Amino acid sequence: MAHRIINWIDHRFPLSSFVKHELTGYPTPRNLSYWWNFGFLAGFVLVLQVATGIFLAMHYKADIAMSFDSIQHIMRDVNYGWLLRYMHAVGASAFFFVIFVHMARTLYYGSFRAPRELMWWTGQVLLLMLMATAFMGYLLPWGQMSFWGATVITNLFRATPFIGDQVVVWLRGDYMVGDATLTRFFALHYLFPFLIIGAVVIHLVALHTVKSSNPSGINLADKDNIPFHPYFTIKDLYGLGLFLIVYSVFVFFIPDSLIEPANNIPANPMQTPNHIVPEWYFLPFYAILRSVPNLVGGVVAMALSVMIFAFMPFLDRSRIPGGAHYRPIYKLQFYLFLLDMLVLGYVGYVPPTSQTLIIGQIATLCYFGSFFLVPFISKAEERWLMKRGLPLEVKELIEKESHDKEMRKRKPLRRKEGTV
Amino acid sequence: MGNETLSDGDRRDFLIKLTSVVGGAGVAATCVPFVASMNPSSDVLAKAETEVDLTDIPAGGMRTVAWQGKPVFILRRTPEEIQAAQSSNGIIDPEPDSKRVQKPEWLVVIGVCTHMGCVPNKEGPGWTCHCHGSQYDDSGRVVRGPAPHNLEVPPYHFVAENKIVIGKA
């Protein structure tokens, strides 16, 4: 019976072939390590956030007179409301953690290099949408941190040339963050996840065109690919188990550890808390904002600090295949960059003093400097590695790749000659 | 209509361009109400002016009132405070005290730090912003950064000896 139903569908819709080509039989490099689990985990957290979010929205009220109390209502009165809310709040942090690891893996193994540039750029767009969604969601509990975080961030749009003040009022729908702001943030916070799902589909279509990268950095021959199911369904599920253990520890034992205490005070537009900090995942970027003494300069630096990752395919000019594993200087640069991120995160967290200001400015210079130096360092490293001697196979691979590139460049030219 | 008109490439190109422009203009015009709906609504605009009775503020005392949702500090300055404010022009954003008040006794400034939009606290002479450590004097002028500008003076006018309307000069 089931067979007949599937036959009936296959006649009208490519169900079996889609499942076979894109899911179960999808060719996957057999040497993927656990660092390749994080894309799947990001997708899982996205589903988790949408599911908990929809059920929270059934009890939440987007009105400044009621929103703070409706969170208390969810926490105290709604059946398992506390669980839904903690899952959603911890889920936001988990989302950023998973995405940051996913990005770090891409940088370390050079997965952003040709032909995977579009994967990297659609991922960059996804990161921006995730940041926007998280920022708007943070206003909804209408606590002191919610209010002043939204005030400071919407204030940044004053840096828009000529119409800065009007843009800020337009974004808020009021002269200060108010009821209009809360309601529109709720509407957009509900909308954005669905845009993210759409962008994820594009990300996956691109992935299934170029296929997964792998720790060797070399595009494997067909014989080194294995079907996704059961090998990687089980590997992803095992990783998911580990992830869920950590996630559950946060949800059930330390759910408040990532919520600023000041956000348990209702928003008060007449009184600013003594110390404003963003959520941990924004800290490095916030530190860069604060390190530039000028408002417009700070906003530009912060925007650039997020967007600059997109330039990596152009900046990395090394032709050595494989990621940091085979490139000692790039590897060193990668770890120094992570260290710099941690320093920036710390500077973003502590109240500003003249000392942390200087540390922040040095760390900001290092942040941008490490990107600007990539073209020169990667080229010098390539020359050094070639002089030191590469394995014959690698040399052949580099020659073959530059040959292919040359051929691709010539091909459209020849076609044109043919038509003339 | 003859066959020649139908196969006239220029005519076809022109019609395609014209249709695209008119269609594009229509789409742009349709966006206007959507974008405009996000601007402040009438009830928000209605609170654009605030009337304040000053009679019960003692000398040296301060009151915070809400104007357009923003805190406005109204400080009744003592003769000593006036003298101190008039004796200097501020450091980071120099401006004489006389340009910042209508009557020397009354200082009216928007209580929003010009750095990141926090609300400074009244501490000793002047205000201190706890967010990033900016300090302002009793004329609302910044005396210590990182704030780049003095506290803004809102448009206001006296409607009676002891009554002001904030929101209109």
Side-chain angles (χ1 to χ4, degrees):
Chain A
M1 185 63 195
H3 187 71
R4 279 179 58 196
I5 293 175
I6 289 171
N7 263 346
W8 186 90
I9 295 173
D10 276 341
H11 206 68
R12 292 154 177 85
F13 181 88
L15 181 68
S16 296
S17 63
F18 178 81
V19 169
K20 185 166 173 257
H21 288 131
E22 310 298 339
L23 299 172
T24 56
Y26 175 64
T28 315
R30 65 176 179 186
N31 57 340
L32 293 191
S33 67
Y34 278 107
W35 295 112
W36 267 260
N37 273 34
F38 286 84
F40 164 75
L41 287 180
F44 177 83
V45 180
L46 174 61
V47 172
L48 203 67
Q49 289 300 86
V50 170
T52 51
I54 286 174
F55 283 88
L56 283 169
M58 295 177 189
H59 303 282
Y60 172 76
K61 292 185 177 65
D63 181 312
I64 55 169
M66 292 186 271
S67 54
F68 187 87
D69 291 340
S70 77
I71 300 290
Q72 299 308 312
H73 163 70
I74 289 170
M75 293 297 289
R76 291 154 197 261
D77 305 334
V78 175
N79 299 320
Y80 293 103
W82 60 272
L83 180 63
L84 290 174
R85 189 204 169 203
Y86 281 151
M87 282 173 78
H88 199 71
V90 172
S93 284
F95 210 155
F96 276 96
F97 173 76
V98 165
I99 287 296
F100 286 159
V101 176
H102 192 55
M103 287 176 72
R105 188 271 291 163
T106 309
L107 284 172
Y108 184 90
Y109 288 104
S111 306
F112 53 82
R113 296 155 97 192
R116 297 190 179 80
E117 299 96 327
L118 276 178
M119 299 267 352
W120 185 235
W121 292 332
T122 50
Q124 175 87 56
V125 172
L126 277 164
L127 174 69
L128 290 179
M129 293 205 288
L130 175 65
M131 285 177 153
T133 311
F135 160 66
M136 290 187 292
Y138 196 53
L139 181 67
L140 304 187
W142 203 245
Q144 273 288 66
M145 265 320 162
S146 301
F147 180 88
W148 290 100
T151 298
V152 168
I153 301 297
T154 48
N155 236 336
L156 297 181
F157 287 87
R158 255 173 47 207
T160 315
F162 307 118
I163 49 164
D165 288 335
Q166 285 95 311
V167 168
V168 173
V169 170
W170 178 75
L171 282 173
R172 293 174 175 167
D174 201 333
Y175 302 101
M176 279 289 265
V177 171
D179 195 50
T181 325
L182 178 68
T183 316
R184 70 186 51 182
F185 273 31
F186 177 61
L188 295 174
H189 183 70
Y190 206 116
L191 166 71
F192 267 48
F194 298 98
L195 298 183
I196 289 180
I197 290 173
V200 165
V201 170
I202 295 173
H203 196 62
L204 287 179
V205 170
L207 173 69
H208 283 227
T209 307
V210 297
K211 304 286 187 286
S212 288
S213 62
N214 68 76
S216 78
I218 300 165
N219 287 324
L220 299 183
D222 285 342
K223 68 178 166 62
D224 288 321
N225 287 322
I226 49 177
F228 193 83
H229 182 75
Y231 300 107
F232 288 100
T233 36
I234 206 66
K235 191 162 187 160
D236 278 346
L237 283 177
Y238 182 73
L240 178 66
L242 294 180
F243 166 80
L244 283 178
I245 290 173
V246 180
Y247 177 75
S248 301
V249 167
F250 273 95
V251 170
F252 292 105
F253 295 100
I254 41 173
D256 284 322
S257 62
L258 298 169
I259 297 175
E260 278 296 318
N263 220 30
N264 294 314
I265 303 166
N268 179 0
M270 297 290 145
Q271 175 79 49
T272 311
N274 282 350
H275 182 203
I276 298 186
V277 278
E279 294 289 82
W280 68 268
Y281 37 79
F282 289 138
L283 286 173
F285 310 110
Y286 185 63
I288 288 175
L289 168 75
R290 280 202 312 203
S291 294
V292 182
N294 170 288
L295 176 83
V296 177
V299 174
V300 170
M302 185 174 71
L304 193 64
S305 70
V306 182
M307 294 305 297
I308 202 162
F309 289 101
F311 294 101
M312 273 311 280
F314 303 119
L315 297 177
D316 185 0
R317 293 170 60 218
S318 173
R319 286 177 299 154
I320 306 289
H325 199 60
Y326 303 105
R327 297 169 56 188
I329 313 280
Y330 183 75
K331 191 184 210 168
L332 181 71
Q333 237 190 326
F334 174 82
Y335 284 117
L336 286 177
F337 182 74
L338 285 197
L339 184 71
D340 193 50
M341 280 294 250
L342 291 179
V343 171
L344 281 170
Y346 169 77
V347 170
Y349 183 73
V350 295
T353 64
S354 53
Q355 215 174 359
T356 59
L357 196 71
I358 289 172
I359 298 174
Q361 283 168 344
I362 293 170
T364 302
L365 281 179
C366 291
Y367 185 96
F368 289 111
S370 56
F371 281 100
F372 288 126
L373 288 177
V374 164
F376 310 106
I377 293 179
S378 62
K379 207 69 201 166
E381 183 196 44
E382 182 198 279
R383 274 198 299 273
W384 171 62
L385 286 173
M386 284 189 161
K387 220 165 99 186
R388 206 180 61 166
L390 290 165
L392 192 65
E393 293 90 339
V394 175
K395 255 189 220 156
E396 277 171 2
L397 200 75
I398 293 175
E399 272 162 28
K400 189 177 161 287
E401 259 173 27
S402 53
H403 177 74
D404 285 354
K405 213 173 168 185
E406 203 61 28
M407 290 308 283
R408 272 202 300 276
K409 261 185 206 159
R410 251 183 245 161
K411 223 178 184 177
L413 214 77
R414 211 184 286 152
R415 203 181 297 147
K416 215 179 247 171
E417 280 163 9
T419 53
V420 167
Chain B
M1 204 186 279
N3 231 354
E4 290 139 47
T5 359
L6 279 177
S7 57
D8 184 354
D10 285 346
R11 181 189 156 93
R12 187 163 290 223
D13 283 351
F14 173 75
L15 284 174
I16 287 173
K17 277 179 196 150
L18 190 71
T19 316
S20 310
V21 168
V22 172
V27 170
T30 315
C31 288
V32 170
F34 289 91
V35 173
S37 76
M38 284 177 70
N39 266 324
S41 53
S42 305
D43 59 325
V44 169
L45 291 172
K47 59 177 185 182
E49 284 180 29
T50 303
E51 196 181 81
V52 188
D53 186 4
L54 306 172
T55 35
D56 53 351
I57 303 177
M62 186 190 91
R63 192 197 297 166
T64 307
V65 296
W67 168 65
Q68 297 187 345
K70 291 180 246 189
V72 171
F73 298 151
I74 302 174
L75 178 69
R76 183 173 200 165
R77 302 192 292 186
T78 60
E80 299 86 62
E81 285 170 346
I82 296 171
Q83 215 176 11
Q86 286 173 343
S87 64
S88 82
N89 275 350
I91 305 153
I92 293 169
D93 183 13
E95 199 181 5
D97 185 61
S98 55
K99 282 235 173 126
R100 299 181 52 78
V101 289
Q102 293 183 13
K103 294 179 180 175
E105 191 185 2
W106 296 103
L107 176 75
V108 182
V109 286
I110 297 177
V112 175
C113 181
T114 53
H115 179 233
M116 287 282 179
C118 301
V119 179
N121 292 344
K122 184 88 182 94
E123 270 172 26
W127 288 268
T128 301
C129 180
H130 280 275
C131 282
H132 304 103
S134 302
Q135 280 178 6
Y136 300 90
D137 66 5
D138 270 329
S139 186
R141 291 173 301 207
V142 57
V143 288
R144 204 184 87 181
H149 302 295
N150 300 333
L151 291 180
E152 199 186 326
V153 179
Y156 68 96
H157 64 281
F158 283 85
V159 283
E161 184 58 30
N162 272 325
K163 195 173 264 182
I164 60 169
V165 167
I166 308 172
K168 218 162 96 185

